[in-house]
Amino acid sequence: MTESEVRKLLRQMKELDSQTAFRDFYNMTYDRFFRIAYYYVKQEEWSQEIVLDVFLKLWKQRSNLLDVRNIEDYCFILVKNASLNYLEKESRHTLIHPDSLPEPQEQSYSPEESLISEELFALYVKALDRLPDRCREVFIRIREEKQSYAQVAEELGISMNTVDAQLQKAITRLKEMISRAEID
């Protein structure tokens, strides 16, 4: 997803009130938004609900979206805040018995460490989105979905050597992009 592609779709959504442009924007960004929400809430159904809520909000705000300077960061923050709000809402509605609470862990993160972790995750999501389609698909299936090389090779109709080559290519590119932080 490039900034110019997104800007073009946002312009069509605003000027033409185009549902087709919105659908294209949705198809282009859904996976990224889902990964961001899932990072925070760790539940697939909740993540889907959060992302749909964010898209509804974006549709309602379509006339103002062109004024946003960095739409990518804006959307990241929207999804992050929606995820955190959803977690807070769910925690208020869930009654937890004291015996079912996990034992407190010794390790606690400072606000600075949490911020660094979130910034690194944002870089990772942006870098992942910049990978070629096949690289990204192989990487996500193996690293995030924990599928085996054989399973990925079979499902995608490619050899295990190709799976390995695509994974190595993805890892190399992700490392380069994140270390240089040249993701716009």
Side-chain angles (χ1 to χ4, degrees):
M1 164 174 83
T2 65
E3 184 76 15
S4 63
E5 291 172 325
V6 172
R7 292 278 170 200
K8 179 182 174 189
L9 293 174
L10 294 177
R11 200 171 304 105
Q12 290 173 353
M13 286 166 39
K14 178 182 180 179
E15 294 169 2
L16 306 174
D17 211 25
S18 173
Q19 292 181 7
T20 303
F22 184 72
R23 192 175 312 113
D24 291 344
F25 177 73
Y26 173 90
N27 291 333
M28 185 186 300
T29 57
Y30 180 86
D31 289 342
R32 172 188 278 187
F33 291 1
F34 179 83
R35 281 193 301 276
I36 295 166
Y38 191 82
Y39 174 80
Y40 289 100
V41 300
K42 306 287 190 252
Q43 290 199 20
E44 210 170 298
E45 289 177 19
W46 290 5
S47 299
Q48 291 169 348
E49 193 172 323
I50 289 165
V51 171
L52 292 177
D53 287 346
V54 167
F55 277 113
L56 180 62
K57 184 174 187 171
L58 288 170
W59 176 252
K60 290 178 180 177
Q61 296 177 346
R62 67 189 174 278
S63 61
N64 300 323
L65 291 177
L66 278 173
D67 299 334
V68 175
R69 211 163 61 176
N70 189 332
I71 193 69
E72 199 170 24
D73 288 346
Y74 177 75
C75 290
F76 179 86
I77 291 168
L78 272 180
V79 175
K80 173 190 165 192
N81 289 343
S83 300
L84 295 175
N85 290 342
Y86 197 91
L87 283 173
E88 183 181 334
K89 183 179 83 173
E90 284 301 313
S91 70
R92 280 186 269 143
H93 293 301
T94 306
L95 296 175
I96 301 176
H97 192 274
D99 294 338
S100 68
L101 291 174
E103 291 296 318
Q105 296 182 351
E106 305 241 345
Q107 188 180 31
S108 66
Y109 295 105
S110 71
E112 181 181 359
E113 289 171 321
S114 296
L115 180 62
I116 290 170
S117 174
E118 286 182 12
E119 287 175 354
L120 186 57
F121 177 70
L123 281 174
Y124 164 74
V125 169
K126 288 179 183 180
L128 191 60
D129 199 46
R130 302 275 189 293
L131 290 176
D133 291 341
R134 183 56 58 109
C135 275
R136 181 176 52 247
E137 187 171 5
V138 168
F139 182 85
I140 289 171
R141 286 173 179 244
I142 291 176
R143 291 295 174 98
E144 292 184 5
E145 296 174 3
K146 307 296 187 215
Q147 292 182 358
S148 68
Y149 279 45
Q151 188 178 9
V152 172
E154 182 180 327
E155 289 178 7
L156 297 179
I158 57 178
S159 72
M160 288 196 350
N161 287 338
T162 303
V163 169
D164 185 52
Q166 290 293 318
L167 180 64
Q168 296 312 315
K169 183 178 177 182
I171 291 169
T172 301
R173 287 189 176 185
L174 286 171
K175 282 181 182 178
E176 287 173 2
M177 286 188 275
I178 291 173
S179 68
R180 289 186 311 202
E182 290 185 357
I183 305 161
D184 15 16

